């Protein structure tokens, strides 16, 4: 079945440093979504990527979808303490409504 | 516009009891998804429902678990004869459209933390 792998599992950074999390799928994805979950909270939708090679930016966050639509990345520039949380990627495979989530990357930011 | 509502937020059950988790989707959303999350783990898909229909239940355990989304009222995830391994956070999400009608970002509720003693 479809699997979505995410690395690293944990990332500790100093405030101001950059952060990147990577997502890889065993199969070609129809689209990929990114979510953020604060400690004790629930996942919150960040963005959806659909097109091969697509790049989207939200302020300090840059999202990429690979050319083969099998991988994606989220990059945060100059992290802030408000960026703390777990970032999940989730993808769907053609014809399925089911989102398959990666295990997430837990980001901690030291002030 | 209220977000996705889940209740109860915390539920404690003894082994062998039944757990009923409720989810009211966002207004105008007709698609509901249930996920289970263990500590330090990702979200595991359980079931996808539309009103009065189960669309995909490939993530549901074959026994003791069931879900429904009636014409009126919230979606219910029911766990019969709970065991300690059922302890987890259960999240419900809703979306306005399925994939065919895309885009379909999912809006998550606050979750129900189930503890089985």
């Amino acid at each position: 079945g479809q699997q979505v792998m995410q690395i690293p599992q944990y990332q500790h950074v100093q405030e101001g440093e950059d952060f990147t999390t990577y997502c890889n799928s065993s199969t070609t994805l129809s689209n990929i979504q990114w979510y953020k979950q604060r400690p004790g909270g629930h996942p919150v939708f960040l963005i959806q990527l659909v097109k091969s090679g697509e790049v989207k930016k939200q302020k300090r966050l840059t999202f990429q979808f690979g050319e083969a639509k099998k991988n994606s990345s989220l990059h945060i520039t100059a992290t802030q303490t408000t960026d703390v949380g777990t970032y999940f990627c989730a993808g769907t495979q053609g014809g399925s409504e089911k989102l398959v989530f990666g295990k997430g990357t837990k980001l901690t930011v030291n002030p | 516009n209220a977000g996705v509502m889940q209740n109860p937020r915390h539920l404690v059950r003894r082994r062998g009891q039944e757990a009923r988790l409720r989810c009211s989707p966002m207004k105008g959303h007709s698609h509901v998804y249930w996920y289970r999350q263990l500590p330090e783990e990702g979200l595991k898909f359980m079931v996808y429902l539309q009103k009065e229909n189960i669309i995909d239940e490939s993530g549901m355990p074959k026994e003791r678990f069931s879900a429904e989304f009636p014409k009126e009222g919230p979606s219910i995830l029911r766990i019969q004869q709970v065991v300690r391994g059922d302890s987890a956070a259960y999240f419900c999400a809703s979306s306005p459209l399925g994939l065919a009608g895309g885009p379909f970002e999912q809006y998550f509720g606050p979750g129900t933390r189930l503890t089985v003693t």
Side-chain angles (χ1 to χ4, degrees), chain B residues 11-104:
Chain B
L11 182 62
V12 180
R13 284 286 178 266
R14 289 200 183 99
R15 277 181 299 170
Q17 291 184 320
E18 178 179 288
R20 278 185 180 237
L21 288 61
R22 295 174 187 78
C23 169
S24 296
M26 283 182 72
K27 188 177 180 181
H29 287 192
S30 57
H31 299 247
V32 166
Y33 311 79
W34 284 94
Y35 296 88
R36 177 163 63 179
Q37 186 177 39
L38 295 169
E40 305 294 316
E41 292 279 323
L43 293 111
K44 183 174 180 296
F45 168 83
M46 298 182 75
V47 62
Y48 162 43
L49 310 105
Q50 294 177 22
K51 283 283 187 182
E52 299 185 278
N53 283 308
I54 296 175
I55 307 302
D56 184 340
E57 56 181 348
S58 57
M60 288 272 275
K62 298 289 183 225
E63 297 177 351
R64 302 188 298 108
F65 284 72
S66 63
E68 61 177 10
F69 189 14
K71 188 176 179 181
E72 302 289 338
S75 175
I76 306 283
L77 178 67
R78 183 181 176 208
I79 311 173
Q80 294 178 288
Q81 299 174 343
V82 295
V83 300
R84 288 216 173 109
D86 297 332
S87 296
Y90 291 84
F91 288 97
C92 164
S94 73
S95 69
L97 292 168
L99 181 59
F104 75 121

Side-chain angles (χ1 to χ4, degrees), chain A:
Chain A
Q2 181 186 355
Q3 288 188 323
V4 175
M5 312 297 287
Q6 206 173 337
I7 57 169
Q9 190 174 357
Y10 301 95
Q11 186 76 57
H12 309 280
V13 299
Q14 287 294 129
E15 190 172 20
E17 291 181 337
D18 292 356
F19 159 75
T20 305
T21 173
Y22 301 90
C23 186
N24 290 286
S25 170
S26 56
T27 57
T28 301
L29 299 170
S30 298
N31 64 19
I32 195 150
Q33 300 180 6
W34 286 91
Y35 291 80
K36 177 183 178 182
Q37 185 176 22
R38 292 183 185 275
H42 60 275
V44 175
F45 174 81
L46 295 177
I47 208 156
Q48 175 172 259
L49 304 170
V50 179
K51 298 175 185 174
S52 168
E54 189 170 12
V55 177
K56 286 188 178 180
K57 292 192 175 186
Q58 287 180 351
K59 297 183 180 178
R60 294 178 295 104
L61 277 62
T62 302
F63 304 84
Q64 287 189 308
F65 200 9
E67 294 289 341
K69 299 183 75 173
K70 283 188 171 184
N71 57 72
S72 180
S73 65
L74 158 59
H75 179 81
I76 302 179
T77 304
T79 54
Q80 299 174 358
T81 53
T82 52
D83 295 326
V84 163
T86 301
Y87 293 84
F88 292 99
C89 63
T92 61
Q93 195 176 9
S96 173
E97 310 266 0
K98 183 170 72 176
L99 265 181
V100 177
F101 279 79
K103 290 196 171 183
T105 296
K106 187 173 182 178
L107 172 66
T108 54
V109 179
N110 297 320

